Amino acid sequence: QKEVEQNSGPLSVPEGAIASLNCTYSDRGSQSFFWYRQYSGKSPELIMFIYSNGDKEDGRFTAQLNKASQYVSLLIRDSQPSDSATYLCAVRGSARQLTFGSGTQLTVLP
Amino acid sequence: SAVISQKPSRDICQRGTSLTIQCQVDSQVTMMFWYRQQPGQSLTLIATANQGSEATYESGFVIDKFPISRPNLTFSTLTVSNMSPEDSSIYLCSGGDSAFSEQYFGPGTRLTVT
């Protein structure tokens, strides 16, 4: 079992729709959870960071964390073509390092 | 947020040579890490750069191949030694402060070994 799993995609949504990205993790001792956006040829850009159960909102982005279910998600409201990228879920373990999922490629169709 | 820079941004190297990549953070950070991202793949942790002591390497990565230095809280280097074409990849430096803080990435170094 992979330590961090993401829905493999690719995922396509129409412009203005809600994009939903999901991630599960295996280590119950994980301390914090990250969503990065990566455009082709660029380095990962931090979008959201969460460490408490519940929802965290920042503009059009909402991260949801459920530690009991070992599940973290990212919702993108009013999706825009500029949101088209690969989204990486990462989990910080007890040794402080991040473990990444394989990424979900999102395409927002105009 | 921390701003991280890397040098060089890209390089083309010959088989058997070594390349040292520099990482500079604009503020002191407790944790610095080196990752590798091969084409079409996600990020794989190479090692944690520890200030004033030997780096902590992940399974599959060894000090002789990827020596790391971290002389202070804002700077680290990664050397890719005795390179082969399989080392062609993007190498990324990352920094953060605590278990409950953000972690940021540098722009990466794109290495091609011929």
Side-chain angles (χ1 to χ4, degrees):
Chain A
Q1 180 187 4
K2 291 183 182 177
E3 293 183 40
V4 180
E5 294 206 44
Q6 296 184 237
N7 42 344
S8 56
L11 176 66
S12 293
V13 300
E15 184 174 355
I18 296 175
S20 177
L21 304 164
N22 303 314
C23 176
T24 58
Y25 60 94
S26 60
D27 182 3
R28 284 196 172 274
S30 299
Q31 298 176 325
S32 47
F33 309 85
F34 300 76
W35 284 100
Y36 290 88
R37 176 174 63 195
Q38 187 173 30
Y39 293 112
S40 179
K42 301 295 186 182
S43 68
E45 172 193 6
L46 181 64
I47 299 176
M48 294 290 290
F49 156 69
I50 187 169
Y51 56 84
S52 297
N53 273 329
D55 295 359
K56 179 179 179 181
E57 187 175 316
D58 184 359
R60 296 185 296 111
F61 299 96
T62 299
Q64 300 175 316
L65 175 61
N66 183 326
K67 289 186 178 180
S69 300
Q70 295 175 246
Y71 173 91
V72 58
S73 66
L74 179 70
L75 299 177
I76 306 174
R77 290 181 300 281
D78 188 24
S79 296
Q80 302 296 308
S82 59
D83 295 326
S84 299
T86 296
Y87 289 79
L88 298 166
C89 172
V91 174
R92 178 178 280 153
S94 55
R96 310 275 181 97
Q97 80 279 21
L98 295 186
T99 300
F100 282 82
S102 57
T104 299
Q105 186 176 343
L106 171 67
T107 301
V108 180
L109 303 169
Chain B
S1 64
V3 177
I4 302 176
S5 59
Q6 287 183 234
K7 289 195 295 187
S9 59
R10 59 177 62 225
D11 208 340
I12 301 173
C13 300
Q14 289 194 338
R15 180 196 300 260
T17 62
S18 298
L19 176 73
T20 296
I21 303 168
Q22 297 180 5
C23 175
Q24 180 74 55
V25 188
D26 70 343
S27 60
Q28 293 186 348
V29 290
T30 305
M31 304 177 295
M32 291 182 75
F33 305 93
W34 287 96
Y35 287 82
R36 181 171 74 181
Q37 187 172 31
Q38 298 187 303
Q41 304 294 314
S42 189
L43 281 74
T44 300
L45 179 65
I46 298 172
T48 301
N50 301 310
Q51 192 224 346
S53 65
E54 197 169 283
T56 304
Y57 290 84
E58 297 300 301
S59 175
F61 298 96
V62 295
I63 187 171
D64 289 347
K65 176 67 175 177
F66 297 101
I68 288 170
S69 77
R70 188 174 176 198
N72 56 50
L73 291 176
T74 64
F75 186 79
S76 178
T77 66
L78 168 74
T79 299
V80 186
S81 302
N82 187 25
M83 289 184 284
S84 67
E86 292 71 35
D87 295 320
S88 296
S89 189
I90 298 173
Y91 292 85
L92 293 148
C93 173
S94 179
D97 259 334
S98 72
F100 301 99
S101 71
E102 295 88 343
Q103 187 165 326
Y104 297 95
F105 283 83
T109 296
R110 183 180 295 270
L111 171 63
T112 302
V113 184
T114 60

